[in-house]
Amino acid sequence: MLGLLIMAIIVMAAGFVATMMIGQSKSNKKADPKYFQHTGKKWMRLSGIYIACIVILAIITIVVWKA
């Protein structure tokens, strides 16, 4: 069980790092200069997705460990 939890955390961290790398890439800035407008909404949405995933992972962990 602990191995699955560690793997889930690694996948989430890798997804976060990949998302940041893609968002900050030079080719992305050149291809779509409007990408960096309204970034507050984009960061809030992205943060919400990551927070929801963390909460779901925590709930699943608690349920499985108590079973």
Side-chain angles (χ1 to χ4, degrees):
M1 174 62 197
L2 184 60
L4 291 175
L5 180 61
I6 291 170
M7 285 183 3
I9 291 170
I10 290 170
V11 168
M12 286 177 59
F16 178 75
V17 170
T19 301
M20 295 299 115
M21 289 174 64
I22 291 168
Q24 298 299 324
S25 70
K26 289 183 182 181
S27 62
N28 190 26
K29 291 177 185 177
K30 288 181 186 176
D32 189 6
K34 294 181 183 181
Y35 181 79
F36 287 97
Q37 293 177 348
H38 309 294
T39 56
K41 291 179 184 178
K42 293 176 185 176
W43 281 109
M44 289 298 294
R45 193 175 7 200
L46 183 61
S47 297
I49 291 169
Y50 277 102
I51 290 170
C53 289
I54 290 169
V55 169
I56 291 169
L57 182 63
I59 291 170
I60 290 171
T61 302
I62 291 168
V63 168
V64 170
W65 274 350
K66 289 193 178 208

